[in-house]
Amino acid sequence: MAHDILAALSARPAAAAAAAGAALALGGALYLRWRMPGSSLRTALQMLRLIQSSPHKSLFSRPPSKEAVLLEAVLASTPEGDAQAVMDAIDKFGYEHWMMNVGDEKGAVLDAAIKQYSPTIMVELGAYCGYSAVRAARLLLPGALLISIEANALCCAITTKVVEHAGLASKHKAIFGNAATALAALKAILARRGATKVDMFFIDHDKRAYLSDLKLLEAAGVIRPGTVLVADNVIVPGAPDYLEYVRGAAYYTSTFTPGYIEYQHKVRDGIEISVCTADPPAAPAAGL
């Protein structure tokens, strides 16, 4: 399917629209999963550009996904280069049509952590539609970099577009995949920048993968003393095994900040911030 769409995109717009219609068959939403070939992120980006410029938008909305509606709302209601306006627009949309972003209230906890630790290299696991990427990148110092790892091709493309629209593309790189598949690219970025570790992780992807991905990153040597882990939704949906691990490990110091699930004030949630104080046992020796 991805190669068919790419071929159509390089031909006539009408043919591209027909191919897009086929891609929208499942529930009406363009849903290019990470299991598709590596070209799917490029496909999704091209599809976004096509949809935004097409006079036949009805072909792409049967009905459109909530994520696609959000993107259109952001692009239509905010000026380019205004990160605060982009965040405000996404928050407004989130209160009206619940979205699984970190949100404005818990987002303030993330803001405070970034301001306190001033990461030079920050990685987020799970970007969704780019809200947390904009929120984080706007606070990074000149020369710092945020790397978003997102396993859904469409969400990865939307994140790229939202960050670009917010005027923060120079501080941001999106990697399509998960922690395991993106690890080689992440380590290559660290090597090019002469870095030995990731300074901060914002963890907000599949809660079932929090602990396994943390251990993967520890073993890869990208978590070292001074690395800060900011984990969202540790109460709801919850990551009890992750909490037990970081709170019980001698090489992390953890604190919990209570809050509520994003965009409502009924269900308790919170953010766990853990600072690595010594090399995890699984980490390779420094310099290897």
Side-chain angles (χ1 to χ4, degrees), residues 167-192:
L168 297 167
S170 64
K171 293 182 176 182
H172 181 253
K173 179 176 178 60
I175 299 178
F176 169 49
N178 54 35
T181 63
L183 186 57
L186 173 59
K187 295 183 79 170
I189 292 171
L190 293 176
R192 287 196 299 271

Side-chain angles (χ1 to χ4, degrees), residues 9-212:
L9 285 167
S10 63
R12 303 182 308 278
L24 288 162
L26 182 59
L30 177 59
Y31 195 62
L32 298 172
R33 293 180 179 270
W34 66 268
R35 296 178 181 84
M36 294 180 66
S39 62
S40 55
L41 175 55
R42 181 163 59 95
T43 301
L45 283 165
Q46 290 175 309
M47 289 295 293
L48 286 175
R49 296 188 186 104
L50 178 65
I51 292 169
Q52 291 159 16
S53 62
S54 174
H56 308 292
K57 287 188 178 183
S58 61
L59 289 173
F60 299 95
S61 51
R62 306 179 185 173
S65 68
K66 182 164 63 172
E67 293 77 15
V69 173
L70 169 66
L71 176 63
E72 290 294 330
V74 169
L75 297 179
S77 66
T78 62
E80 289 190 25
D82 191 335
Q84 186 62 52
V86 168
M87 288 168 47
D88 291 345
I90 297 175
D91 283 330
K92 180 177 184 294
F93 190 94
Y95 277 108
E96 296 170 352
H97 317 276
W98 187 85
M99 304 287 286
M100 57 181 183
N101 308 309
V102 65
D104 51 344
E105 295 185 355
K106 286 186 295 177
V109 179
L110 175 61
D111 289 356
I114 295 171
K115 292 175 182 177
Q116 178 178 354
Y117 293 102
S118 298
T120 299
I121 298 179
M122 180 176 174
V123 172
E124 65 168 348
L125 300 179
Y128 191 40
C129 293
Y131 175 83
S132 53
V134 171
R135 187 157 201 120
R138 86 193 203 285
L139 297 177
L140 295 182
L141 297 176
L145 179 67
L146 169 67
I147 302 165
S148 298
I149 299 174
E150 172 55 53
N152 179 285
L154 181 60
C155 288
C156 195
I158 289 174
T159 293
T160 300
K161 183 63 180 177
V162 167
V163 173
E164 176 188 286
H165 182 74
L168 297 167
S170 64
K171 293 182 176 182
H172 181 253
K173 179 176 178 60
I175 299 178
F176 169 49
N178 54 35
T181 63
L183 186 57
L186 173 59
K187 295 183 79 170
I189 292 171
L190 293 176
R192 287 196 299 271
R193 296 174 67 95
T196 58
K197 64 179 173 67
V198 173
D199 300 307
M200 179 177 288
F201 283 93
F202 178 53
I203 305 172
D204 194 18
H205 61 319
D206 184 348
K207 316 312 165 192
R208 298 166 298 180
Y210 276 26
L211 180 57
S212 58

